[in-house]
Amino acid sequence: MDGPEREGRKLHRSFGGLALLGVLLVVAGLVGLVYTGVATLTSMILFGWLLLIGGLVGLVHAVQSRGTSYFWLGVVVAALNIAAGLVVIRHPHGTAEALTMFAALLFLTGGVFRLVGSVVVRGPQFGWTLLQGAFGLLLGLLVLFDWPHSSLYVLGCFFSLALLFDGLGLIAVGIGGRRIVSMVSERMAPGSDKGDKGEGTDALTQDGQKGSES
């Protein structure tokens, strides 16, 4: 029983680590919702570094695959990622403004298409689709009318909300996993095995007595 118990303790600690990571993400998300400007700047810098590192990794893979037909395509894509990463890192505010404008246009076009589609099709989800389209259109207009000032808080708000919901998901997984591991460990404990064996022995004894009486 040492092996299963040891594995159970490892799983228990692993799920506890997930729950702790979830708590940290929730705290970071709440702080980001309070300081949306800092969250926006942080998300832009992280985005730039991700582009830069991804471009460098892609360049290494392209060099390793030289001589193939995808070599130059990999080099071009890696160079574009590296250039975009450097631009985002050096100009995070300008990148936030451009991405905020792009997000506002996405909200506007998505809202218009949902509104038109819901009115034309009038399917079973007509009211829900109409509400989604109106919300997207309103959100896009609000972001667009307040641009470029909206770039200081829109992306940071989205980034913080993503951290918050990811953290809540990790907390739920961690707590649920710890409960499941505890239940399985209790079932596999030596005392419970003895109890099961004792119940089985009593049942066999009763069956034997009934057979002898008959």
Side-chain angles (χ1 to χ4, degrees):
M1 296 300 295
D2 292 338
E5 289 180 358
R6 189 181 302 110
E7 293 298 327
R9 287 194 294 268
K10 288 182 179 179
L11 286 174
H12 205 269
R13 288 194 296 268
S14 298
F15 283 116
L18 282 179
L20 179 60
L21 179 60
V23 171
L24 293 177
L25 289 180
V26 167
V27 172
L30 292 176
V31 172
L33 288 175
V34 176
Y35 302 99
T36 53
V38 177
T40 299
L41 185 62
T42 303
S43 63
M44 288 298 96
I45 293 176
L46 288 175
F47 180 57
W49 277 107
L50 286 175
L51 286 174
L52 181 60
I53 294 172
L56 292 175
V57 173
L59 185 61
V60 171
H61 284 298
V63 171
Q64 290 177 350
S65 63
R66 60 184 178 275
T68 63
S69 57
Y70 301 101
F71 169 70
W72 288 109
L73 178 62
V75 171
V76 171
V77 172
L80 289 176
N81 285 333
I82 292 173
L86 291 175
V87 170
V88 172
I89 292 172
R90 293 189 62 181
H91 305 284
H93 295 287
T95 305
E97 292 179 0
L99 290 179
T100 302
M101 173 65 75
F102 182 69
L105 294 177
L106 282 180
F107 288 138
L108 282 174
T109 54
V112 170
F113 276 112
R114 283 193 176 92
L115 283 175
V116 174
S118 62
V119 172
V120 172
V121 177
R122 290 184 177 274
Q125 302 294 329
F126 169 73
W128 178 247
T129 307
L130 188 68
L131 181 62
Q132 283 182 325
F135 180 75
L137 183 62
L138 179 61
L139 185 59
L141 290 174
L142 290 175
V143 174
L144 192 60
F145 288 157
D146 199 29
W147 190 86
H149 182 263
S150 59
S151 63
L152 298 176
Y153 58 85
V154 170
L155 298 178
C157 184
F158 290 161
F159 179 67
S160 302
L161 287 175
L163 290 178
L164 180 61
F165 287 115
D166 287 343
L168 291 175
L170 287 178
I171 291 174
V173 171
I175 294 176
R178 285 169 66 93
R179 288 179 178 176
I180 293 174
V181 171
S182 298
M183 291 172 60
V184 173
S185 299
E186 290 177 358
R187 291 290 182 88
M188 296 178 64
S192 61
D193 290 344
K194 290 180 181 179
D196 295 339
K197 291 179 181 178
E199 292 177 358
T201 304
D202 293 339
L204 290 174
T205 303
Q206 292 176 0
D207 292 337
Q209 290 176 355
K210 291 179 179 179
S212 61
E213 290 175 358
S214 62

